[in-house]
Amino acid sequence: MTELSLRTSAIAVTDPEAGLRITEIFYSLQGEALTSGLPTIFVRLTGCPLRCVYCDTEYAFSGGERQSLETIVATIKSFPCKRICITGGEPLAQPNAIELIKRLLADDCEISLETAGALSVQKVPPAVSKVMDLKTPSSGEVDKNLWSNLAYLTQHDQLKFVIMNRTDYDWAKAKLVEHQLDKLVGTVWFSPMFNVEENDSSPEVPVLARQLAEWILADALPVRFQLQLHKIIWADAKGK
């Protein structure tokens, strides 16, 4: 499957004047990765070519609202923060995301980009901290991993594995060693799959979290364990 075939045909991919299709822009605490716990503006783009079995943002697959880049920047500036997370969906499915990032960098914003790793990150400016997934077998999308992306990662970037079971853990551990991922990027994250049921106001940490922590300890892996704080604090509510 080519990268072009992974794009969503309903989303314009060329003229910056076409803007971006946006699902939501909101201000909250970052729930994961290196800036976890810090106030952050989230720009969630619409559309994703993947369908991971554990996806927690299916509402961003379609719909959204077409907005000009000027409108998006103005909304961002309305919040008391210059730390921005570009997320989705899959933000790189809309190439104008790169133009938005460049405009925000020119305004001295600190930017992280959450990407599934199925589309090329080559054009992402190096000042951006790329938080890139490597999809495990149980995700249902392991064949979409674009391994050539590893060549464009630096110590400023992060890799994330979402673990659903021991099979996923063993696969991720093997890839960690094979590609020396802990030396390639600044941080490698292992996260237990953690979905929250609708209307669950007090979600419990899954048993898998304890198991994953024990596996990491037993193997003394050079990775960092993480739970998604926003799911614990706000039960994965939209706009939080």
Side-chain angles (χ1 to χ4, degrees), residues 3-236:
E3 180 181 328
L4 184 60
S5 67
L6 286 172
R7 297 198 185 281
T8 303
S9 60
I11 298 173
V13 297
T14 52
D15 183 8
E17 295 303 316
L20 290 163
R21 187 167 290 279
I22 300 292
T23 293
E24 57 186 348
I25 301 175
F26 60 97
Y27 178 56
S28 186
L29 296 181
Q30 175 61 270
E32 53 190 314
L34 285 176
T35 56
S36 178
L38 290 173
T40 303
I41 302 165
F42 293 84
V43 181
R44 188 180 304 283
L45 276 63
T46 306
C48 184
L50 275 62
R51 293 295 182 268
C52 300
V53 300
Y54 50 70
C55 182
D56 55 9
T57 52
E58 293 181 355
Y59 64 92
F61 286 169
S62 60
E65 177 187 357
R66 174 78 57 188
Q67 297 184 28
S68 69
L69 298 184
E70 291 76 14
T71 297
I72 297 168
V73 170
T75 301
I76 290 170
K77 288 183 175 180
S78 71
F79 296 107
C81 182
K82 301 200 79 168
R83 186 178 302 105
I84 301 165
C85 177
I86 308 295
T87 186
E90 169 52 66
L92 293 180
Q94 299 190 60
N96 283 342
I98 300 297
E99 177 63 25
L100 174 64
I101 287 171
K102 290 178 179 178
R103 296 188 186 192
L104 294 172
L105 288 174
D107 195 34
D108 296 323
C109 293
E110 175 188 336
I111 300 176
S112 62
L113 171 74
E114 296 183 343
T115 177
L119 297 173
S120 177
V121 299
Q122 182 178 8
K123 295 182 179 179
V124 178
V128 173
S129 181
K130 298 181 286 292
V131 184
M132 192 181 87
D133 281 18
L134 285 175
K135 299 302 182 183
T136 55
S138 298
S139 71
E141 297 285 22
V142 67
D143 61 319
K144 303 300 194 310
N145 288 319
L146 188 63
W147 293 101
S148 59
N149 269 336
L150 296 182
Y152 305 113
L153 300 180
T154 72
Q155 289 294 307
H156 188 50
D157 300 320
Q158 306 164 59
L159 282 169
K160 182 179 72 175
F161 294 87
V162 176
I163 308 295
M164 294 185 68
N165 48 45
R166 182 71 198 204
T167 298
D168 282 353
Y169 174 80
D170 289 338
W171 181 90
K173 182 173 67 172
K175 295 303 179 184
L176 177 75
V177 173
E178 177 185 354
H179 298 284
Q180 296 187 312
L181 298 178
D182 58 305
K183 297 178 176 62
L184 184 66
V185 298
T187 306
V188 178
W189 300 97
F190 276 28
S191 301
M193 192 278 288
F194 183 18
N195 274 351
V196 178
E197 296 296 328
E198 188 174 358
N199 299 321
D200 185 357
S201 60
S202 300
E204 296 183 0
V205 174
V207 173
L208 176 61
R210 180 179 298 177
Q211 294 173 331
L212 177 56
E214 295 291 351
W215 297 338
I216 292 171
L217 287 170
D219 291 329
L221 291 188
V223 303
R224 294 182 69 170
F225 173 93
Q226 74 170 352
L227 286 171
Q228 295 168 300
L229 293 182
H230 52 286
K231 294 187 175 182
I232 298 171
I233 299 171
W234 288 296
D236 215 16

